[in-house]
Every structure is written in structure tokens, then in C-alpha cells.
Amino acid sequence: MATENTIITNDNDDGIDRAGFIKCMAWAGTGILWMMNGGVLKSYGMSQLIDKTTGQLKQHVMVPPADFSFVQISDSHIGFNKAANTDVLGTLRAAISKINTMPSKPSFVLHTGDLTHLAQAEEFDLLEQSLKSVQTEKIFYVPGEHDVLNNNSKEFLGRYGKETKGDGWYSFDFKGVHFIGLVNVLNTSEGGLGFLGNEQLSWLQKDLEPLSASTPVVVFAHIPLWAVYPQWGWATRDSEQALSLLKRFGSVTVLNGHIHQTMQKTEGNITFHTAASTAFPQPAPGAAPAPGPMKVPAERLRAVLGLTNIEYREHQHTLAVTDAPLSESNTQ
Amino acid sequence: MACMAIIMTGSMAAIEPKSIASREFKNLSVLPKNISAGELSKIMIDEFEDGLGVSCSFCHAENKETHRPDYASDQKPEKEIARAMMRMTIGVNKKYFNLRRPLIGEPSLAVTCETCHHGVPNPGQQVGQ
């Protein structure tokens, strides 16, 4: 019988099975060390850093920067008021409360789109007022298709697009990790699929060029960059081009929203993760004739909404992604 | 999922915008030409996206150069069908439910897209069909 210490599956496809993991553990210190050197963050395998004769760190090795964590929230749909959730502001506040009671304050929050339901100014205002109470340094946004309904995202970009490129894409670095916010909702193509477009892909290529392959990369966008369920538009038509640019990196984490449920998949060096909504659930792929807001019993609603906490630790080559429902209750 | 600016409605002075249109939408033939962006968005999302479980591209053709939805285009037959359905919905509410000035998107409607579609493009469609 499986215990919590048993590795059942190896989702990371990294060649490390249970036996391999134990072997690595025996070789204490296995992993990647991030070091700041001349203003440049570089990664080194531990074998490069350990002095084999003493078993200690080689001289002149700096202590790696502190770990950090950030939170992803998604699909708050402020303005939605149908049966699937008549109090989306209340459930957003519950998510905020969850963030504020986390053991360690997240360095920042990523909102992966559909902040609002109809892209109305008053909906954005309500969201902003609520998010002011989040205890974090900064909140980063990418738009969902609901945020760009009017005037091709003018309202969204007026608020959040000041330091972005093109239609709102951007990147930033935080403690050695490169973060990239992509916009794949403006050109939604046949079947509702997301679309990045050549201009954004060219920018992405240039943005990634100066980075070493050992730089951890986090990409976030609204519509999934992997084919979750293309029949429902839960994929991005030209995502392969973006993913091919990311293949050379050792650690890539792709965070999306849009489908209002958590799902994870690992392909080589890339881990894909979709977040739950803070507003309402949607059916599992293929479990209904079409996607859309799904009504669940009121007492179960908060168990199917939630947020995602992501922790970055220098000695691991993937980021630890944890989903948290707004309520632990899962009674029917 | 979401959609935007469309379409429609022909004979109607039936829909009265509550606020001034934030911009002029092109090729509206059923919905009023001065409909506000907010009202139009609400109809697109509530009536069509949620009512039929579809996204913008179900009715709107894609501009092959920009890859963006060409909201004014009548290229896709689904758009004309949507117009016909809106006219029918208004007619049913008028004729059988005695609503004087039925407005698409208004909660006072007795019959809406959702009444028959139940969140799927083709009424009666079941999972796996």
C-alpha cells in the first residue's frame, strides 16, 4: 500500500525515479546553486562548488539568495452575478484572506486574467479596491479575454499596461528568476483558441536571447499554452513557437488560468499549470457539451475555487506549485 | 471564454441603451446602432457565450491579416443565424408573452437563448454528441 513517502509517479520526467532520488539524497547537496556574481545571477551544479577533499563549499562561494514565494490568482470575473456564484467579490475576498494568512508573505501576486467579467471601469475599480488589502509588494497582471471586450483592451492597458510592450506583454526579473507575462486573448482565433502572434513571438525571442539556459523561467498568460482541450478553445494556436524558444532552459514553469480548474502537466523541462478561479468553476474537459459557468451546491463552491502558491527554492530545479481551495470543505 | 462586439438585430427600436455608446459599432442590424459597449458586452457574454457555450469565433470571422475577430464581417453564416434567432426571441416574447417592448438581454424576457440552448450551440445536444 502506498504511503505518503512513496513516489507513485514521476511527473517531472527528469530521469529521477525513487531509487535515483534516494541515491541523490545520499549524495547530500545535490542540486543547483544560484549565485550572484558581478551582478549576474548564475547557476552551478553542486559538484562544481563542493570541494571533494573537504566536503565543504569551495572558497569564494557566496550564499545563495533567500527563497521566495509568489501567489497566482485567476479569473475573478468581477461583475459576474449568475447562479454559479452571485458573490464573486466575496469569494475574491476569501482568496485575499487566504493569501494574507499564509505563513510567509508572498513576494508578489500574479493575476492571470479575467479580472473582470465585462471589462467595465467600475468592475476594474472594485477589483482594485479589493486587491489593495493583499499583503504583498506588487501585483502583476495579464488580461483575459473578458478584460479586453471593449476598445481592444484600452481600459485594461490604461490601468496595467504602462510599462509593457506591444499589446501588453512584458517581462521582469526577480531574485534570479525571469518572469514573462504574455497576452494571448486579443486575437482569439477559430474555435476560441488563444493566439500570440508574430510580433509578440519576435519580442519573446529577443527577450530570452540574453538569458543563460540555467535561468529559471516562469511564463504566465491567460489561455493555456498547452493543449488542455482545444475543442473548447482551451489551448493557444501558436504556442508551439513560444515553447520551442523555451526548450533550452533547464526550468520552465508555465502558469495559466481560463479553464477555472487546476491541471498540471510536465513535458521535459516545462511544467504547465492552470489555476482555479476565484469566481466560479467550469466543467472538466469533455464532461459537458460546452464550457461555461458551472453551478455546484452552495456548500461546495469554495472547495472548487482557489489560488495557487508557488515556492522557489534554489536547490530544486522545478518550482513547487501548490493549489489551495478557498475552503477545505468538499461535502456534496 | 468570451466574445465581443457583434451583430445584429433588425427591426428594432426595441433595445434602448441605458447609457451613451462609448463608440460606434459597425454593421449592427438587429441591436441598436447606439448600444453602449457595456450593454453589447453583456449580451455577447450572457446570451451567446454562456447561453450557447461558444466563443466569439463561433459567429465572428477572423481577419486573416491581423488574426483578430472581424466583428463587422458577415462572412460566417452563424452570424446571420444569430440575427434570425434574436428576431425570433423578440417575436416569441411579444406574441406569446405579451411583452410590449422585449429587449434582448433584459431580465424581463420570458424566453431567452438559454431557454432552449441550455449552454450548448445546438439545442438538444448531449455530452459526446
Side-chain angles (χ1 to χ4, degrees):
Chain A
M1 188 176 167
T3 69
E4 61 180 4
N5 296 320
T6 304
I7 296 175
I8 307 292
T9 58
N10 178 19
D11 292 329
N12 286 336
D13 192 27
D14 54 9
I16 302 175
D17 57 12
R18 184 168 182 266
F21 178 68
I22 292 168
K23 193 175 167 188
C24 286
M25 289 299 287
W27 185 57
T30 297
I32 303 293
L33 181 65
W34 298 97
M35 297 200 322
M36 189 67 75
N37 192 341
V40 179
L41 196 69
K42 289 182 178 177
S43 67
Y44 298 89
M46 289 300 288
S47 58
Q48 294 173 271
L49 305 169
I50 302 291
D51 186 327
K52 285 177 184 169
T53 56
T54 65
Q56 303 297 314
L57 284 177
K58 292 174 181 173
Q59 285 187 332
H60 311 300
V61 171
M62 293 168 64
V63 175
D67 295 355
F68 71 92
S69 67
F70 62 95
V71 165
Q72 177 193 11
I73 57 172
S74 199
D75 296 272
S76 41
H77 283 269
I78 299 304
F80 179 87
N81 60 1
K82 289 202 254 183
N85 183 0
T86 54
D87 184 18
V88 293
L89 209 52
T91 48
L92 174 65
R93 286 177 182 143
I96 292 168
S97 171
K98 195 107 188 168
I99 295 170
N100 289 343
T101 52
M102 283 181 166
S104 60
K105 192 171 91 170
S107 297
F108 53 85
V109 170
L110 300 181
H111 194 308
T112 45
D114 282 354
L115 290 63
T116 67
H117 195 55
L118 298 176
Q120 298 300 292
E122 56 271 24
E123 295 174 346
F124 283 108
D125 289 344
L126 273 175
L127 178 94
E128 284 179 11
Q129 280 169 11
S130 296
L131 292 181
K132 274 179 187 167
S133 62
V134 180
Q135 291 168 18
T136 191
E137 295 301 316
K138 189 163 172 126
I139 303 176
F140 296 93
Y141 302 89
V142 285
E145 75 280 14
H146 282 257
D147 301 316
V148 299
L149 290 170
N150 301 316
N151 300 323
N152 283 331
S153 75
K154 204 172 176 181
E155 187 72 35
F156 179 90
L157 288 178
R159 292 169 187 258
Y160 310 112
K162 291 184 177 64
E163 294 174 10
T164 63
K165 313 282 185 192
D167 287 323
W169 50 82
Y170 60 99
S171 67
F172 65 93
D173 295 291
F174 190 83
K175 295 190 175 178
V177 180
H178 191 65
F179 291 82
I180 302 168
L182 297 179
V183 178
N184 59 356
V185 295
L186 279 172
N187 309 341
T188 48
S189 54
E190 194 67 33
L193 297 171
F195 189 75
L196 295 162
N198 289 336
E199 187 186 352
Q200 186 167 204
L201 287 166
S202 298
W203 169 84
L204 178 63
Q205 185 173 14
K206 284 182 188 136
D207 183 70
L208 293 170
E209 260 169 16
L211 302 179
S212 74
S214 57
T215 306
V217 177
V218 175
V219 178
F220 57 106
H222 182 65
I223 297 176
L225 294 178
W226 55 295
V228 174
Y229 199 63
Q231 298 93 317
W232 284 1
W234 291 359
T236 298
R237 189 166 65 180
D238 53 355
S239 63
E240 273 307 311
Q241 294 174 60
L243 298 177
S244 68
L245 297 170
L246 296 162
K247 274 186 180 155
R248 71 182 176 91
F249 293 94
S251 167
V252 179
T253 305
V254 179
L255 305 173
N256 301 118
H258 189 56
I259 69 170
H260 296 221
Q261 58 201 288
T262 58
M263 230 174 249
Q264 188 158 334
K265 178 193 178 191
T266 303
E267 258 184 31
N269 59 328
I270 305 181
T271 300
F272 300 90
H273 188 278
T274 59
S277 163
T278 67
F280 55 84
Q282 289 207 64
M294 183 171 72
K295 191 172 184 323
V296 296
E299 68 275 13
R300 194 170 166 249
L301 177 63
R302 292 188 180 209
V304 291
L305 307 178
L307 49 87
T308 302
N309 183 51
I310 300 105
E311 291 186 344
Y312 172 63
R313 295 186 195 284
E314 290 85 355
H315 294 271
Q316 295 178 351
H317 64 166
T318 54
L319 281 74
V321 181
T322 312
D323 295 299
L326 298 187
S327 158
E328 303 301 329
S329 165
N330 200 25
T331 52
Q332 296 278 341
Chain B
M1 313 229 355
C3 212
M4 180 44 203
I6 304 189
I7 334 181
M8 6 269 270
T9 344
S11 56
M12 344 202 345
I15 298 170
E16 293 175 336
K18 290 174 191 160
S19 55
I20 296 168
S22 62
R23 71 173 184 185
E24 198 170 296
F25 296 103
K26 293 176 185 168
N27 198 19
L28 294 174
S29 65
V30 178
L31 296 174
K33 295 189 189 311
N34 63 341
I35 192 169
S36 74
E39 287 163 327
L40 187 56
S41 296
K42 189 166 171 49
I43 290 170
M44 294 301 121
I45 298 297
D46 288 350
E47 298 299 318
F48 298 121
E49 181 178 297
D50 292 347
L52 278 71
V54 298
S55 59
C56 311
S57 59
F58 187 76
C59 291
H60 292 292
E62 179 182 319
N63 181 313
K64 296 300 176 194
E65 284 181 16
T66 65
H67 294 291
R68 295 193 179 198
D70 184 350
Y71 294 118
S73 168
D74 286 337
Q75 191 185 328
K76 294 194 74 171
E78 286 84 354
K79 190 173 174 185
E80 192 52 45
I81 294 169
R83 286 175 170 140
M85 290 288 123
M86 288 178 72
R87 291 186 183 109
M88 179 192 73
T89 303
I90 288 163
V92 167
N93 280 283
K94 244 184 199 171
K95 186 171 179 182
Y96 297 102
F97 295 91
N98 297 321
L99 294 180
R100 280 181 138 193
R101 304 180 73 192
L103 309 177
I104 293 291
E106 284 290 305
S108 60
L109 289 189
V111 171
T112 67
C113 305
E114 173 75 25
T115 306
C116 295
H117 280 272
H118 295 299
V120 297
N122 301 308
Q125 181 187 0
Q126 300 298 315
V127 178
Q129 287 185 331

